[in-house]
Amino acid sequence: MPENEPWEYTLYIPNDVRAVTVARRTLRLILTMHGLIRLTDTAELLAAELVSNAVRHTKGPAALRVRWSAGVLRIGAWDADPEPPEPPGKLGVLGEEGRGLALVRACADLWGWQPLARHGNRGKYVWCELAAA
């Protein structure tokens, strides 16, 4: 499949800390198969932070969504909690909370979140983007 054709994958994951490793390894395989190995290190870090937040801060299932379109890789994590994510903290500040989204903000070209409501289900989608160029 040529690098310029769009594609999308969704990995549904249980509320289990081991899901972070599964998500990272799955993402590495997807990017390798699509010839985007140059993005894997940063993409894995971003996916791990997003999935980790979804698993650590919610009680329900989650999903990793990976999309490639027009030279941009979008990585997102859905979870069942409609509450907005905590604002990013500052990198280098000691503490357990807020560093994940600070890493996302520092490493991604763009990031954000949106509330979701569908078929009576509520939640949120936190995403980030990496440009290939």
Side-chain angles (χ1 to χ4, degrees):
M1 177 178 281
E3 192 177 294
N4 58 355
E5 289 189 31
W7 48 261
E8 183 175 311
Y9 294 88
T10 302
L11 175 66
Y12 294 96
I13 54 178
N15 191 283
D16 184 329
V17 295
R18 294 172 289 193
V20 177
T21 301
V22 171
R24 285 181 73 129
R25 291 182 180 171
T26 301
L27 178 61
R28 178 170 284 275
L29 180 61
I30 291 167
L31 295 178
T32 300
M33 297 301 295
H34 284 282
L36 297 169
I37 192 78
R38 67 191 177 279
L39 298 178
T40 56
D41 291 339
T42 303
E44 277 188 82
L45 172 67
L46 296 170
E49 293 302 333
L50 296 178
V51 171
S52 177
N53 283 348
V55 171
R56 285 183 63 206
H57 301 295
T58 67
K59 294 182 178 160
L64 172 69
R65 185 174 171 195
V66 183
R67 181 179 58 158
W68 173 260
S69 181
V72 175
L73 180 69
R74 178 175 274 205
I75 304 163
W78 166 85
D79 65 56
D81 185 355
E83 293 298 314
E86 290 292 321
K90 293 184 179 181
L91 288 177
V93 175
L94 295 177
E96 291 297 316
E97 302 298 321
R99 291 182 303 188
L101 285 180
L103 276 170
V104 170
R105 180 177 59 193
C107 296
D109 295 316
L110 189 63
W111 81 278
W113 79 278
Q114 60 197 61
L116 298 176
R118 190 173 175 188
H119 307 297
N121 296 323
R122 298 181 63 197
K124 69 179 165 295
Y125 181 65
V126 182
W127 56 269
C128 62
E129 292 182 346
L130 289 175

